[in-house]
Amino acid sequence: MECISVFDMLKIGVGPSSSHTLGPWRAAEKMLQLVQQKVALSEVQKVYVHLYGSLCLTGKGHATDLAVLLGLSGYDPVTIPVEEIPKVIDQIRSKKKLQLGGSVKIPFVIEDNIIFDRTFLPFHANGMAFEFYTKNEIFKETFYSIGGGFVVQENEPISDQAPKSFPYPINKADELLAYCKQENKKVSEIVYQNELSLRTSEQIKEDLLKIWNTMLECMYIGCHSEGTLPGGLNVRRRAFDMHQNLKGEVTYHTPWEWLESIRKTEVKFRAILKWVSCFALAVNEVNASLGRVVTAPTNGSAGVIPAVLMYYMVIENHQANEEHIQQFLLVAGEIGSIFKKGATISAAMGGCQAEIGVSSAMAAGALCELMGGTPEQVLMAAEIAMEHHLGLTCDPIGGLVQIPCIERNTMGAIKAINAAELALESDAKNAKVPLDKVVQTMWETAKDMNSKYKETSEGGLAIGVNLADC
């Protein structure tokens, strides 16, 4: 039974895509480590990178090639100053040199050394291979980016270390619910006990608040940034204008002061819709411009969870505190892990139902618990949210995580709030569709879905709307 932590599902990284940017970045870092275990980097003379399948078809729009360059250069997505990214890439491009691991310069022509190959490898749509050449040897490894920043190595040796285990091992929603009944605990309390087997209570709190502060800062930056998104579609940022119209004449100097100022605004139904949409737009506009976001569970769906949590804090409960934040993120992370184990969170495998659908289910369940929902209602909320995303395709125009991806985050957030409210007003005993059934159905739908609707930009809006139309 796979033990997936909340911190596996909610990762800090750089946009625009968890599977096409963060995953390849991590794979490049891992390849560096593998090579360094065998030879000194100073012995490496040249490097080639092969990007297969979906990484080839939408890699340019998802900045896959740039992510690989940054990983090979020794930068980490959690700590790199995002404003430095263009400078690093420009240096490699102009000098035709790659500073491998941040220390050893080797010849590197991006157009020659990064090879885009439309071939789909058998294990996963997001395949990539690295070739490191020394004078006497070639080191070659294949990796797969399987969604949400998770990376697996082909034929990776089995570790001789004992696998980590949770006191409450969970593969399915029914198992989670059984533990809640058995222990008379909330979902968040069961998840917290599992996390304690990996971290101290102080570390859990610190790391969850770090995730939230990254989300909050991301919303703040997005709401205060004007201009056009990179990539060639000339998509104008909308969060800035929407935010200007909503906030009124208020002053603040920090993201937390900004949060407090929103609590003082007028609350009407249309205004709530606009605020939630604004928060989601803000995050995914930052994501689309290679900004720092929290993968939740992916970068393409990074706006849903922060938008719904922000809604709770500024609209529903003005006394919401750090404990509420932790509770929300614990529930959201666990629901996401159930989908990852039972289906997929990779759009290249399951379409956008695996991204926006899962994030909406995560947010719905988490909000439901904060609003007083029982464990049964929490799982019902998650099920409702996913049920109404089943079959959602991934067809980004130009291979960019912009159209329709950014708007879909607003819809996923609104659906999550609606699903939570429906669950709260329902007797969960009367639910006809359990969460495990909708997880299974999502996976079956994913397997039946035509590949052109799975993050390849070969169908749907991606070909129905020409770049010239934009």
Side-chain angles (χ1 to χ4, degrees):
M1 185 171 292
E2 189 177 9
C3 292
I4 299 177
S5 167
V6 167
F7 300 101
D8 293 322
M9 300 305 303
L10 304 171
K11 300 195 259 311
I12 298 172
V14 172
S17 171
S18 52
S19 60
H20 286 58
T21 314
L22 183 58
W25 193 326
R26 290 299 188 198
E29 289 181 305
K30 192 168 184 178
M31 184 64 185
L32 269 182
Q33 294 169 0
L34 291 174
V35 171
Q36 285 178 294
Q37 291 170 8
K38 299 172 182 177
V39 297
L41 287 183
S42 57
E43 294 186 38
V44 177
Q45 297 180 343
K46 56 185 177 179
V47 171
Y48 289 95
V49 183
H50 299 261
L51 302 175
Y52 296 102
S54 181
L55 294 183
C56 165
L57 295 171
T58 63
K60 289 285 186 181
H62 289 62
T64 306
D65 48 351
L66 307 188
V68 167
L69 291 176
L70 293 165
L72 292 175
S73 299
Y75 292 96
D76 188 272
V78 177
T79 57
I80 186 173
V82 291
E83 65 275 6
E84 295 293 318
I85 291 177
K87 299 177 188 176
V88 175
I89 301 301
D90 288 344
Q91 278 283 99
I92 298 171
R93 197 179 299 278
S94 61
K95 302 290 185 183
K96 295 182 171 50
K97 297 279 186 182
L98 177 68
Q99 197 156 335
L100 199 61
S103 59
V104 178
K105 287 188 178 180
I106 62 170
F108 197 96
V109 179
I110 296 175
E111 293 74 18
D112 297 336
N113 292 72
I114 298 182
I115 299 150
F116 288 84
D117 189 330
R118 297 171 67 93
T119 304
F120 280 75
L121 300 185
F123 177 71
H124 195 281
N126 295 332
M128 73 202 94
F130 295 86
E131 295 172 345
F132 278 56
Y133 289 76
T134 67
K135 184 177 181 180
N136 301 312
E137 294 180 274
I138 302 174
F139 299 99
K140 182 175 181 179
E141 294 291 346
T142 300
F143 297 86
Y144 297 94
S145 179
I146 60 174
F150 289 86
V151 176
V152 294
Q153 178 186 344
E154 190 171 73
N155 301 320
E156 185 170 9
I158 298 174
S159 172
D160 56 4
Q161 295 180 347
K164 60 185 180 182
S165 60
F166 286 154
Y168 301 107
I170 298 162
N171 257 4
K172 297 184 176 182
D174 280 353
E175 294 166 347
L176 172 59
L177 185 58
Y179 290 132
C180 290
K181 291 179 177 178
Q182 172 188 309
E183 304 295 333
N184 192 27
K185 292 182 182 295
K186 300 176 181 177
V187 171
S188 60
E189 292 171 331
I190 293 294
V191 181
Y192 184 72
Q193 290 302 312
N194 280 344
E195 292 298 329
L196 280 175
S197 67
L198 305 175
R199 293 171 170 81
T200 66
S201 57
E202 292 78 13
Q203 287 174 322
I204 294 171
K205 178 179 180 179
E206 179 183 346
D207 290 345
L208 287 175
L209 292 180
K210 187 182 296 182
I211 286 169
W212 165 244
N213 285 325
T214 303
M215 289 178 170
L216 179 59
E217 184 178 66
C218 186
M219 287 185 280
Y220 185 84
I221 291 171
C223 284
H224 295 83
S225 298
E226 291 185 88
T228 302
L229 296 174
L233 292 182
N234 297 316
V235 174
R236 177 178 169 78
R237 289 176 179 263
R238 284 185 284 176
F240 180 87
D241 292 333
M242 188 177 289
H243 177 253
Q244 290 295 312
N245 292 332
L246 286 167
K247 73 181 182 68
E249 297 297 325
V250 294
T251 58
Y252 46 80
H253 302 93
T254 69
W256 275 99
E257 289 180 6
W258 173 61
L259 185 155
E260 290 291 346
S261 74
I262 298 172
R263 285 174 166 170
K264 300 173 184 175
T265 59
E266 187 177 18
V267 181
K268 291 184 177 179
F269 181 70
R270 286 186 66 199
I272 294 171
L273 287 177
K274 290 177 183 179
W275 271 120
V276 174
S277 297
C278 182
F279 299 144
L281 286 175
V283 170
N284 285 83
E285 287 173 356
V286 170
N287 179 63
S289 54
L290 275 80
R292 181 163 286 116
V293 299
V294 174
T295 298
T298 68
N299 283 28
S301 61
V304 175
I305 286 173
V308 175
L309 180 48
M310 189 72 160
Y311 158 80
Y312 178 78
M313 296 187 71
V314 301
I315 304 295
E316 282 297 331
N317 183 4
H318 288 189
Q319 280 69 52
N321 54 35
E322 293 179 347
E323 290 185 6
H324 294 96
I325 294 168
Q326 294 174 69
Q327 185 179 353
F328 185 100
L329 296 176
L330 287 168
V331 176
E334 185 59 41
I335 291 172
S337 76
I338 290 171
F339 277 97
K340 186 183 185 312
K341 293 167 187 171
T344 182
I345 58 170
S346 167
M349 292 295 285
C352 200
Q353 61 175 353
E355 295 202 23
I356 295 295
V358 173
S359 64
S360 186
M362 292 166 70
L367 179 63
C368 185
E369 180 169 301
L370 285 188
M371 302 274 278
T374 64
E376 291 88 350
Q377 288 173 319
V378 167
L379 299 184
M380 184 181 185
E383 181 279 318
I384 292 171
M386 172 51 80
E387 185 179 332
H388 299 288
H389 282 94
L390 287 174
L392 187 61
T393 60
C394 181
D395 50 355
I397 296 175
L400 296 163
V401 192
Q402 296 181 18
I403 304 172
C405 321
I406 295 174
E407 282 184 356
R408 280 185 179 168
N409 279 263
T410 72
M411 305 306 291
I414 297 299
K415 283 186 180 182
I417 296 169
N418 194 14
E421 292 293 350
L422 286 171
L424 287 166
E425 293 299 320
S426 303
D427 185 342
K429 293 177 183 177
N430 297 326
K432 301 298 182 183
V433 183
L435 179 56
D436 286 327
K437 287 294 184 182
V438 87
V439 173
Q440 179 184 343
T441 300
M442 191 268 266
W443 182 227
E444 293 301 323
T445 305
K447 290 187 286 186
D448 290 340
M449 189 180 290
N450 191 299
S451 63
K452 68 184 181 181
Y453 299 117
K454 296 182 183 180
E455 208 166 4
T456 59
S457 288
E458 293 185 316
L461 286 175
I463 63 169
V465 179
N466 295 319
L467 291 181
D469 297 332
C470 298

